[in-house]
Amino acid sequence: MKIGIVTGIPGVGKTTVLQKVKEILSNEGINNKIINYGDFMLKTAISLGYVNNRDEMRKLPIDRQKQLQIDAARGIAKEAKEGGEGMLFIDTHAVIKTPSGYLPGLPKYVIEEINPSIIFLLEADPNIILERQKRDTSRSRTDYSDEKVIVETINFARYAAMASAVLVGATVKIVINAEGDPAIAANEIIRSMK
């Protein structure tokens, strides 16, 4: 499967846009799969007793986060190989804000395992991201609840995505997720992958 990694700060709308990508591609009869990188990591972290929920993973010691990243990359690469023709999209983060600083979400040991064609940076106005975060009461995102932190994280994500792309010869594309219409961003992602 052709692989695209869709990254973005928590609250930018990655999951919503990727649901729309899946809907559009399925309606066109194109084989596709959406994988949430964090789900792979969370399943392992819970089974090992490290965390109780997704938001606790950012607070794990860095060495544990790295091992969870490696395990997830291997599992995702295996699914891509077994998926046949079509498109596989990975919902993840280019950087993760931790108490120790920013952890690359796509370090060498992850990006080389997955080997994507494109790394997408899904972005939106920081104030829109803050509003989306406030509406999503199912998540705890207090570490991203300031406009300056959001801007800083978006900038670090851009740097990290380009550095990761260099390792595998992938392209990097910024896609704006406009408020109220995820189909615009979804269609731009699909066009870039065809």
Side-chain angles (χ1 to χ4, degrees):
M1 299 185 95
K2 188 172 183 179
I3 300 173
I5 298 178
V6 180
T7 70
I9 189 169
V12 77
K14 290 181 308 301
T15 303
T16 302
V17 168
L18 285 170
Q19 287 170 344
K20 186 55 88 172
V21 165
K22 181 159 197 61
E23 177 186 321
I24 293 166
L25 289 174
S26 296
N27 287 341
E28 292 178 6
I30 297 171
N31 182 34
N32 69 90
K33 187 165 193 168
I34 310 296
I35 294 178
N36 185 295
Y37 201 94
D39 288 348
F40 269 77
M41 291 178 62
L42 181 61
K43 183 178 175 184
T44 302
I46 288 173
S47 72
L48 295 172
Y50 295 164
V51 299
N52 295 310
N53 65 61
R54 175 183 303 292
D55 296 308
E56 291 177 357
M57 285 195 302
R58 292 191 302 271
K59 296 168 181 73
L60 286 173
I62 297 299
D63 61 328
R64 284 200 179 156
Q65 290 188 52
K66 287 179 180 178
Q67 188 56 53
L68 291 169
Q69 284 179 320
I70 291 167
D71 294 343
R74 288 182 181 144
I76 290 168
K78 182 179 179 203
E79 286 203 25
K81 288 176 186 157
E82 295 170 353
E85 294 297 315
M87 297 182 199
L88 182 140
F89 295 92
I90 301 167
D91 176 346
T92 192
H93 302 282
V95 294
I96 301 98
K97 187 174 185 305
T98 75
S100 302
Y102 286 97
L103 176 68
L106 303 169
K108 184 178 190 296
Y109 54 84
V110 168
I111 202 73
E112 288 180 342
E113 190 76 41
I114 295 172
N115 196 24
S117 300
I118 305 174
I119 301 170
F120 295 97
L121 290 156
L122 192 63
E123 297 182 0
D125 179 274
N127 290 316
I128 291 173
I129 294 171
L130 283 171
E131 287 304 313
R132 289 176 183 161
Q133 288 176 351
K134 288 176 188 172
R135 288 192 305 257
D136 184 1
T137 58
S138 69
R139 301 290 304 274
S140 173
R141 296 171 169 154
T142 55
D143 46 348
Y144 291 99
S145 61
D146 176 86
E147 184 179 345
K148 289 178 185 168
V149 171
I150 290 173
V151 170
E152 178 182 79
T153 305
I154 288 170
N155 286 329
F156 270 107
R158 288 177 176 184
Y159 311 143
M162 198 67 229
S164 296
V166 164
L167 297 173
V168 294
T171 59
V172 175
K173 182 169 182 69
I174 295 173
V175 176
I176 303 301
N177 184 20
E179 183 67 16
D181 193 357
I184 296 169
N187 279 305
E188 187 171 349
I189 288 169
I190 292 168
R191 279 192 303 273
S192 298
M193 286 284 284
K194 286 186 175 179

